[in-house]
Amino acid sequence: MPLHLERIDWMPSPPLVPDDGPIDIEHLGRMTLGDASLEREVLAMFSAQAASLLSMLATLPPDVGALVHTLKGSARAIGAFAVADAALDLEAALQNDSDPSRALGALEEAISQARTAIDAFLRRS
């Protein structure tokens, strides 16, 4: 029996983990039990909290560790995992007495991306 071979154009595989961008909307939906109104409220609160905490973190106050820890927990709760990871990196830098400037810059970028995604989400809903 002859084999029939055809050329098949290459297609990229889908990601193994969905990339919802800066906010994992599925995770947010699970955390809010699918309540769209609660999703909007939680996202708005996180956006405001993240901006406020970031401005406080810029001066590296004595309670910087607690502020970063709060931000990390809030980020995980809404599915802003890049923010949570960046906060974790900043926590590690602070605990290791390393220069926190690079970790703080990464956290600023992650928060900026999350807040942009949140603004877009809130405009759509």
Side-chain angles (χ1 to χ4, degrees):
M1 183 175 347
L3 292 176
H4 180 65
L5 300 175
E6 298 179 27
R7 178 177 166 90
I8 299 175
D9 291 330
W10 177 83
M11 286 184 2
S13 298
L16 296 176
V17 177
D19 181 12
D20 290 332
I23 305 294
D24 184 334
I25 300 301
E26 288 182 19
H27 176 80
L28 177 64
R30 286 189 303 273
M31 297 301 287
T32 59
L33 302 175
D35 184 333
S37 176
L38 183 57
E39 286 178 3
R40 290 188 302 277
E41 183 179 346
V42 168
L43 287 174
M45 287 173 39
F46 175 80
S47 184
Q49 178 193 44
S52 175
L53 288 174
L54 190 57
S55 69
M56 287 188 260
L57 291 173
T59 63
L60 294 176
D63 62 343
V64 66
L67 296 174
V68 174
H69 189 75
T70 297
L71 181 59
K72 180 179 68 176
S74 297
R76 284 181 177 160
I78 67 155
F81 296 118
V83 173
D85 290 345
L88 181 65
D89 291 344
L90 180 54
E91 273 186 327
L94 294 167
Q95 289 171 354
N96 296 329
D97 291 324
S98 302
D99 178 14
S101 59
R102 187 169 43 152
L104 185 57
L107 180 59
E108 289 173 3
E109 179 61 27
I111 288 172
S112 174
Q113 290 177 8
R115 292 187 74 219
T116 298
I118 289 169
D119 289 345
F121 181 87
L122 294 176
R123 279 193 305 272
R124 284 193 312 264
S125 48

